[in-house]
Amino acid sequence: MNDSSFFCSGHVEVKFDFFTGYRAFFLIYDLSFVLLMLLLTSLCRLYFLQFIEMEKMALESRWAPTIVAILLEATKAPRESLWYPYLRMFFHQSNLDVPLFWDRATQQRLLGTSTVPQRITGDRQRMETDVDKHIVPLLRKLHRFQENELESLRETVVKISGFIMAYSFTRPDSEDSASTVDKENSDSEDEDREASQVGNALMEVPIMVPIADFLNASVRRNNARLHWDDDGEVLKMLAVKNIKAGEEIFNTYGEISSSELLYLYGYAEDDEENPFEEVFIPSSLLRDTLTDLLQQNPPRLPLSPAQLDKRWSYLEKKELVGEKYPIVIGKKEILTDMEVSRIMEVLTADAQAFADMDAAGEDEEEEADFSREQYRLENLSKLDPVAKDIFARVIQKKLNEYPRTLPEERKNIEHIQELLSRQKSAGNVDADTQRSLFIAFVHRAELVLLNEYLRCLNS
């Protein structure tokens, strides 16, 4: 299988069902470690660099240039666009089903108290900003926009954004071109700096690579990975382990949690041991926990309500707590460990120590003694008793937000899998049933992680 921009070695067989959207790569013969399997050149990429407006657009919106490029290419006549078959497959026959596409009622019914609906709301707001600030002005300039098309355009942009989330690639970071500018000898320092910023922004714009996105992916079963060449112009698929004949080739999306898999790609794996699992715990749960501790008799926290309010305001000012600053726990450690260490320092400081913190300017603040080791999972049992008590209560509050306990969720998964099996036998798979299974996989993986943290904190 060869053309000017795609090479597939004789070891690889491509199986693709155009109507269902299912495609996969399988090995015909055994493949040795790191043998080149797939090579795609920059000829496969969707180009947009001919528009100066798009280059500058990239400074403010990483996705807008690619969205506009797809919009323009999708409206060409079939014979005028080499991208027509690829884009037609997405717009008319794709089975991509990401939460971004779900209606609000479905989001609330299936996602419940998770943070995904809020994330969808935030992403949609950013998309609307892109439409109003970048996309519509450019389409007007190209005479490709009618005012009565605005609402339709907004929904199309949402659909394209989901497409980009699931199927795009980004090139690796390049050296900062600004460092190569001789500013002392340049007569156009500002222009050079602006050109450098534009170039760096363009490197972060998602690009579409039509053959590479056919590869199925797995966090733990991946046996091959995509690699860019040094110039970021050629994309290679390399085996990372020996692959047997008849075995499917799995790419990897990188270090990604089950929740992120669901949000970006519309599925989650049946895997309780994802090494990149993580759980976001809102700061509000920490605040609720602290309030609970103050209301106990005797109080479990040596602060008055007024003192807690003042310290919480301080933490908000320092951007350590708040809606945008959750506590994030990972498979082996608290991932926001530096922030958590600072939070605990503020909450447990005596009155004079906190007064000194509050009075100090940004440049005068002293960094507290900090060791990442203390926030590793196996060391949580050694934390200060007050910190242990706080974290255990926060974890329990997070556990209480889930619709089921871990044993109940495992039984729920078995029930949904049996239901799906019957639906598949009858040839009528319900979309909500499949979605519910993926959500249950996410909940189970997060419940496993949270319960392990609770066990370590209570030991």
Side-chain angles (χ1 to χ4, degrees):
M1 183 176 179
N2 292 278
D3 63 26
S4 62
S5 60
F6 171 57
F7 166 75
C8 192
S9 79
H11 291 274
V12 180
E13 176 184 10
V14 182
K15 295 183 179 179
F16 176 50
D17 185 330
F18 189 83
F19 293 99
T20 63
Y22 179 82
R23 62 272 192 191
F25 288 76
F26 292 86
L27 262 289
I28 300 174
Y29 312 107
D30 286 356
L31 185 68
S32 299
F33 180 67
V34 301
L35 178 67
L36 177 65
M37 302 187 309
L38 188 67
L39 183 148
L40 299 109
T41 72
S42 60
L43 294 176
C44 282
R45 293 187 291 137
L46 186 59
Y47 280 94
F48 43 77
L49 301 184
Q50 63 268 40
F51 296 108
I52 298 299
E53 292 88 347
M54 284 183 161
E55 294 180 331
K56 293 185 177 180
M57 188 189 299
L59 285 169
E60 296 185 32
S61 172
R62 190 167 62 92
W63 285 25
T66 307
I67 292 172
V68 172
I70 291 174
L71 278 169
L72 295 176
E73 201 70 27
T75 55
K76 288 183 178 179
R79 293 184 179 180
E80 295 178 357
S81 174
L82 293 174
W83 288 84
Y84 178 79
Y86 177 71
L87 295 178
R88 182 178 184 274
M89 181 181 69
F90 167 68
F91 280 108
H92 301 291
Q93 294 169 307
S94 172
N95 57 2
L96 179 64
D97 182 39
V98 294
L100 184 67
F101 295 169
W102 302 353
D103 59 59
R104 188 174 296 275
T106 301
Q107 292 174 27
Q108 296 298 335
R109 184 176 70 256
L110 297 180
L111 297 170
T113 59
S114 77
T115 59
V116 172
Q118 290 86 352
R119 183 174 177 182
I120 292 171
T121 298
D123 282 348
R124 279 183 170 264
Q125 289 172 347
R126 282 188 286 274
M127 292 168 201
E128 289 188 5
T129 299
D130 282 345
V131 169
D132 296 336
K133 188 174 182 179
H134 302 295
I135 297 172
V136 167
L138 181 56
L139 293 180
R140 280 199 184 108
K141 186 172 183 178
L142 298 173
H143 306 290
R144 303 288 289 274
F145 175 74
Q146 300 294 327
E147 297 300 329
N148 61 358
E149 297 174 343
L150 181 58
E151 291 309 312
S152 173
L153 176 63
R154 292 192 193 280
E155 287 309 307
T156 300
V157 166
V158 170
K159 190 170 185 179
I160 292 174
S161 297
F163 176 44
I164 294 171
M165 273 197 308
Y167 294 120
S168 67
F169 295 81
T170 52
R171 290 190 292 182
D173 293 336
S174 64
E175 293 183 0
D176 185 359
S177 57
S179 64
T180 65
V181 176
D182 187 352
K183 294 183 173 58
E184 293 183 0
N185 298 323
S186 173
D187 293 328
S188 56
E189 178 179 328
D190 293 339
E191 289 84 353
D192 287 343
R193 186 181 299 111
E194 180 180 359
S196 171
Q197 290 171 343
V198 169
N200 290 334
L202 285 172
M203 290 296 292
E204 298 179 0
V205 169
I207 57 178
M208 310 309 295
V209 187
I211 300 299
D213 64 17
F214 283 5
L215 292 154
N216 289 329
S218 174
V219 175
R220 281 160 57 86
R221 291 182 293 164
N222 74 283
N223 46 26
R225 297 194 179 191
L226 289 164
H227 296 264
W228 290 95
D229 70 349
D230 291 340
D231 296 325
E233 294 296 324
V234 176
L235 191 59
K236 300 177 181 179
M237 171 58 73
L238 304 177
V240 296
K241 61 179 70 172
N242 293 337
I243 307 174
K244 297 180 180 179
E247 187 176 347
E248 183 173 353
I249 301 170
F250 285 100
N251 183 27
T252 176
Y253 292 134
E255 299 180 1
I256 188 168
S257 68
S258 299
S259 179
E260 196 73 358
L261 272 175
L262 177 64
Y263 187 74
L264 296 178
Y265 306 107
Y267 80 98
E269 295 189 83
D270 186 3
D271 184 2
E272 293 190 7
E273 298 299 330
N274 178 354
F276 311 117
E277 202 61 69
E278 60 186 21
V279 178
F280 286 67
I281 302 176
S283 295
S284 58
L285 293 186
L286 173 60
R287 179 58 197 255
D288 291 345
T289 296
L290 298 173
T291 300
D292 291 345
L293 291 173
L294 287 183
Q295 292 174 347
Q296 291 189 3
N297 190 15
R300 300 289 297 275
L301 197 64
L303 297 173
S304 69
Q307 288 173 324
L308 175 58
D309 288 343
K310 187 171 183 178
R311 297 192 185 202
W312 193 261
S313 296
Y314 174 87
L315 293 171
E316 288 178 324
K317 183 176 68 175
K318 298 298 181 181
E319 298 183 344
L320 294 169
V321 299
E323 186 177 350
K324 296 181 180 179
Y325 307 103
I327 297 171
V328 186
I329 65 172
K331 199 70 175 176
K332 296 181 179 180
E333 67 228 336
I334 296 176
L335 300 178
T336 51
D337 47 7
M338 291 186 67
E339 294 81 357
V340 166
S341 177
R342 182 67 172 151
I343 290 168
M344 295 310 303
E345 179 193 10
V346 170
L347 292 175
T348 57
D350 61 36
Q352 185 58 53
F354 175 69
D356 293 341
M357 291 181 201
D358 198 24
E362 293 287 340
D363 298 333
E364 300 175 6
E365 289 188 11
E366 295 183 7
E367 290 292 331
D369 292 336
F370 170 71
S371 169
R372 291 189 182 278
E373 291 299 313
Q374 65 181 323
Y375 292 105
R376 290 185 63 82
L377 185 61
E378 67 268 21
N379 294 330
L380 294 181
S381 61
K382 304 173 187 176
L383 286 175
D384 174 86
V386 173
K388 279 181 61 177
D389 187 31
I390 291 173
F391 285 132
R393 290 170 181 271
V394 169
I395 294 291
Q396 187 60 62
K397 281 184 179 292
K398 181 63 180 176
L399 283 166
N400 293 343
E401 290 188 342
Y402 289 82
R404 283 169 285 274
T405 64
L406 179 56
E408 290 170 345
E409 194 63 80
R410 286 174 172 149
K411 290 181 180 179
N412 180 50
I413 288 173
E414 292 177 1
H415 168 73
I416 298 174
Q417 288 173 327
E418 291 173 0
L419 179 58
L420 271 175
S421 179
R422 293 196 297 270
Q423 290 179 353
K424 288 177 181 178
S425 297
N428 185 26
V429 175
D430 176 65
D432 272 7
T433 306
Q434 184 65 72
R435 293 166 177 169
S436 296
L437 180 62
F438 292 148
I439 292 168
F441 287 160
V442 173
H443 286 175
R444 181 187 61 186
E446 293 179 349
L447 287 166
V448 167
L449 185 58
L450 288 164
N451 276 283
E452 181 61 16
Y453 268 77
L454 193 60
R455 183 190 68 79
C456 290
L457 287 164
N458 289 332
S459 62

